[in-house]
Amino acid sequence: MPNRILLRGGHIITMDPLLGDLPSGDVLIEDDKIAAVAPSIAADVDAEVVDASGRIVIPGFVDTHRHTWESAIRGVAPNATLDDYFVDILDTFAPVYTPEDVYASNLAGALECLNAGITTLVDWSHINNTPDHPDAGIRGLQEAGIRAQYAYGSANTSLADYWFESRIVIPRADVQRIRDTYFSSSDGLLTMALATRGPGFCTDDVVRAEWEMARDLGIPITVHVAMGRLAGRFGMVKQLDGLGLLGADTTYIHCCYFSEEEWQLVARSGGTVSIAPQVEVQMGHGWPPVAKSIEYGLRPSLSIDVVTTVPGDMFTQIRSAFGTDRARRNAEFWERDEPAEGHLTARQMLEIATLNGAHVAGLEDRTGSLTVGKQADVVLIDARAINVAPVHDAVTAVTLCADVSNVEAVLVAGQFRKRDGRLLADVERARTLVENSRDRLVGAVVDKKAVPA
């Protein structure tokens, strides 16, 4: 007998173009999948009926790029530029991270995602200083119960060794060990990718080796490109094209300083795009190219990037992208003395944060919309809250009014991870672990600085 949950009477935004929106409707969940979406579904005696009236029901948000291991050092770099980040985080904190710190950060960080309605996460884990580090990071994701793509990255024990024309290849033997140990099946909540550094940060031999490794092992690739004072000038996509490495299996993160040629190369190759708007405008990566990527037929997604410097929720990213792109376009039309047109819309932003994110994470067949047969990754937003009510347009209520406090319930694969406004997890334990890591890491950094060079 399947386990059934009936979400009754909510305002359903399916993000499925065939189903559209239901101002009052029901969602039936059987085990881990969506079994039916309709204006009214007859109550089944075996179904747990959940009153969704006064709630907006949406697919879970998808964060396509987050360095979750940095949860233990949340807020340590509020005023940092990207240049500062490399020194203050990757060359200062990262080298002293233990596997226990990664576990605590990934557990707490994944619970933070779930609390905010993010049901799918791409964990860009460039903290694999020992073979125990990736195991610890994966364990944190598993215990949180989030859907995630674990992106195996390099170590970060020395900025000079790993980021300035690095000659160190991510160890294939360990990547294969992790794949074989945790990802022998593609049916679970967790999938795998390779988080590479790319040309400019590594020698061509390292770039080739890492791209070939990923393709030999059958895992997708994710890489930061075209951001900030340095990498914005590398022409990384053009270099990858010259190396014959472009492909549909690659996600390009940031993309702030692409040339027109590079946009065309990514679009033609079938690559995907992840944009982290708040980080990009705040840390100097460049303008978030959401509308620009759409002009080339791409389907951009959103990501948080680093909680050392920005909030960890998708509402912030939606509004940052929405505001900055419209501001840029308004300024361009002002210069022409013409009425502005072609703006991003609130509905586009919700699609970008859900369905597009699933596309970029390679999971569109499983999540991203409330489509029958997909996994039941569902979020209920309290539309009765004073910062949301009265609702004139449900999409606007989600994208421009709601915040984390309005995320009332979250299901991943048909399992409640948050209900009645509370996470169904040992939050106290996770908080204690990550606070202990904070104290240890800060102490280790202080001790390191006290040692004479």
Side-chain angles (χ1 to χ4, degrees):
M1 182 76 65
N3 181 53
R4 293 187 178 96
I5 298 171
L6 180 61
L7 306 176
R8 168 160 286 169
H11 188 127
I12 304 171
I13 305 173
T14 70
M15 301 313 299
D16 182 319
L18 298 179
L19 292 175
D21 299 353
L22 284 70
S24 179
D26 301 346
V27 178
L28 178 63
I29 297 166
E30 290 189 356
D31 293 330
D32 60 343
K33 290 185 172 61
I34 297 169
V37 180
S40 180
I41 297 172
D44 188 309
V45 292
D46 296 320
E48 176 189 0
V49 179
V50 177
D51 182 9
S53 60
R55 284 80 169 180
I56 301 169
V57 183
I58 64 171
F61 294 127
V62 181
D63 175 358
T64 56
H65 152 243
R66 180 191 295 236
H67 306 297
T68 322
W69 64 268
E70 296 177 19
S71 299
I73 50 174
R74 179 190 310 281
V76 299
N79 307 311
T81 64
L82 180 58
D83 290 351
D84 295 333
Y85 170 84
F86 274 89
V87 175
D88 296 344
I89 305 302
L90 297 187
D91 209 36
T92 301
F93 279 102
V96 299
Y97 257 74
T98 67
E100 291 74 21
D101 299 320
V102 177
Y103 165 72
S105 291
N106 270 26
L107 175 62
L111 290 177
E112 174 190 10
C113 288
L114 292 169
N115 189 56
I118 296 169
T119 56
T120 300
L121 165 69
V122 176
D123 177 31
W124 220 97
S125 192
H126 58 338
I127 191 61
N128 291 326
N129 298 349
T130 73
D132 291 333
H133 281 64
D135 295 271
I138 292 167
R139 185 160 57 93
L141 298 175
Q142 288 173 328
E143 291 183 13
I146 197 167
R147 189 180 303 281
Q149 182 185 75
Y150 174 77
Y152 188 118
S154 69
N156 260 303
T157 55
S158 162
L159 194 63
D161 287 343
Y162 284 96
W163 289 98
F164 296 137
E165 287 291 305
S166 178
R167 297 180 178 278
I168 302 174
V169 179
I170 293 173
R172 179 184 173 120
D174 201 55
V175 175
Q176 185 160 350
R177 176 186 70 84
I178 290 294
R179 187 202 63 173
D180 295 347
T181 301
Y182 300 103
F183 305 101
S184 57
S185 168
S186 60
D187 297 333
L189 285 180
L190 301 189
T191 54
M192 187 179 181
L194 191 73
T196 63
R197 291 154 293 170
F201 293 119
C202 303
T203 63
D204 286 353
D205 287 344
V206 171
V207 173
R208 286 193 193 92
E210 292 186 355
W211 252 257
E212 290 168 4
M213 176 201 314
R215 286 168 178 165
D216 286 348
L217 296 177
I219 56 177
I221 298 160
T222 174
V223 60
H224 303 92
V225 293
M227 73 287 188
R229 185 175 61 87
L230 292 176
R233 294 180 168 86
F234 287 168
M236 295 171 74
V237 168
K238 193 170 181 181
Q239 290 190 59
L240 288 169
D241 182 51
L243 294 170
L245 296 176
L246 295 183
D249 58 354
T250 304
T251 296
Y252 303 94
I253 302 163
H254 300 308
C255 313
C256 300
Y257 286 103
F258 272 178
S259 65
E260 299 299 317
E261 179 186 7
E262 288 184 304
W263 281 118
Q264 292 166 359
L265 287 169
V266 169
R268 285 201 299 265
S269 70
T272 56
V273 170
S274 173
I275 297 169
Q278 187 63 35
V279 155
E280 288 157 8
V281 295
Q282 188 172 322
M283 294 180 71
H285 295 58
W287 291 108
V290 177
K292 188 72 172 177
S293 63
I294 293 172
E295 290 174 13
Y296 286 90
L298 293 161
R299 297 172 59 192
S301 63
L302 298 178
S303 64
I304 277 71
D305 201 348
V306 292
V307 297
T308 59
T309 310
V310 302
D313 66 279
M314 191 58 70
F315 301 103
T316 295
Q317 303 307 324
I318 288 171
R319 288 158 201 174
S320 180
F322 191 64
T324 53
D325 239 319
R326 289 172 70 97
R328 288 189 72 195
R329 188 171 290 270
N330 284 333
E332 290 169 1
F333 277 89
W334 188 90
E335 291 291 341
R336 301 179 204 167
D337 195 21
E338 298 174 4
E341 59 183 23
H343 284 309
L344 292 170
T345 67
R347 184 170 289 274
Q348 277 181 298
M349 296 314 305
L350 187 55
E351 181 177 353
I352 288 166
T354 55
L355 192 59
N356 281 16
H359 166 69
V360 170
L363 297 169
E364 193 173 3
D365 61 333
R366 302 184 200 182
T367 190
S369 64
L370 303 181
T371 300
V372 173
K374 284 192 177 185
Q375 294 276 291
D377 296 351
V378 187
V379 171
L380 275 65
I381 304 289
D382 183 3
R384 305 159 302 172
I386 197 64
N387 63 309
V388 180
V391 175
H392 292 269
D393 175 80
V395 170
T396 301
V398 174
T399 56
L400 298 178
C401 300
D403 58 38
V404 173
S405 71
N406 307 122
V407 177
E408 183 179 276
V410 177
L411 297 96
V412 177
Q415 298 292 315
F416 278 102
R417 299 303 183 192
K418 184 178 185 179
R419 191 164 190 177
D420 299 324
R422 298 178 64 86
L423 283 169
L424 304 183
D426 191 343
V427 176
E428 181 66 20
R429 174 176 176 267
R431 183 182 62 80
T432 299
L433 287 171
V434 83
E435 286 181 346
N436 289 343
S437 280
R438 172 201 60 192
D439 295 343
R440 196 204 68 75
L441 288 163
V442 170
V445 167
V446 169
D447 292 344
K448 186 172 71 168
K449 289 181 177 178
V451 176

